[in-house]
Amino acid sequence: MYCTNCGNKLNGDAYCSNCGKQIKTHSSFGFGVLGFFFPVIGLILFCVWIGSRKKDAKSAIIGAIIGFILHVILYLFIFYFVVSIIDNTDCFSVCNGHFEYRDGVCICQDAVY
């Protein structure tokens, strides 16, 4: 990273060692949010910035990891509820609407087989 005022190479201090100008650091929170909603983009940003923009890279990868984990959990819940709705629909049609669902088993009431 270089000073925007004089072009001197910076060593991570808050002020340029050559001209004394304060170095503005930007917030990397936005990259974490981007990585959260789009984990693949967060991973790509991490790979691109790991050498030059370490703080932004770290924020992007943390957001990507959290986003990936929560996306997987969300998809598992959606899959579980869709499967349970399909199972209940089958019970409804087989038992003509008179059934109980106990311990994962459909039990027809007032139905003759």
Side-chain angles (χ1 to χ4, degrees), residues 25 28 59-60 63 85 93 98 104:
T25 58
S28 58
S59 180
I85 288 170
S93 62
H98 304 286

Side-chain angles (χ1 to χ4, degrees), residues 63-96:
I65 290 169
I66 293 170
F68 177 76
I69 291 169
L70 290 180
H71 281 98
V72 168
I73 290 171
L74 177 68
Y75 292 138
L76 290 174
F77 276 124
I78 290 171
F79 178 75
Y80 172 76
F81 286 121
V82 167
V83 168
S84 68
I85 288 170
I86 291 171
D87 286 344
N88 284 340
T89 303
D90 291 342
C91 285
F92 186 82
S93 62
V94 169
C95 300
N96 294 324

Side-chain angles (χ1 to χ4, degrees), residues 16 30 55 59 61 65 103 105 107:
C16 176
K55 186 176 179 183
S59 180
I61 196 66
I65 290 169
D103 298 325
V105 178
I107 301 172

Side-chain angles (χ1 to χ4, degrees), residues 10-11 13 43 60 81 107:
L10 301 173
N11 55 5
D13 295 333
L43 178 64
F81 286 121
I107 301 172

Side-chain angles (χ1 to χ4, degrees), residues 27-42 45 56 58-68 71:
S27 173
S28 58
F29 178 76
F31 297 118
V33 172
L34 181 68
F36 175 79
F37 286 109
F38 304 102
V40 173
I41 293 175
L45 290 176
D56 294 337
K58 182 179 177 183
S59 180
I61 196 66
I62 289 172
I65 290 169
I66 293 170
F68 177 76
H71 281 98

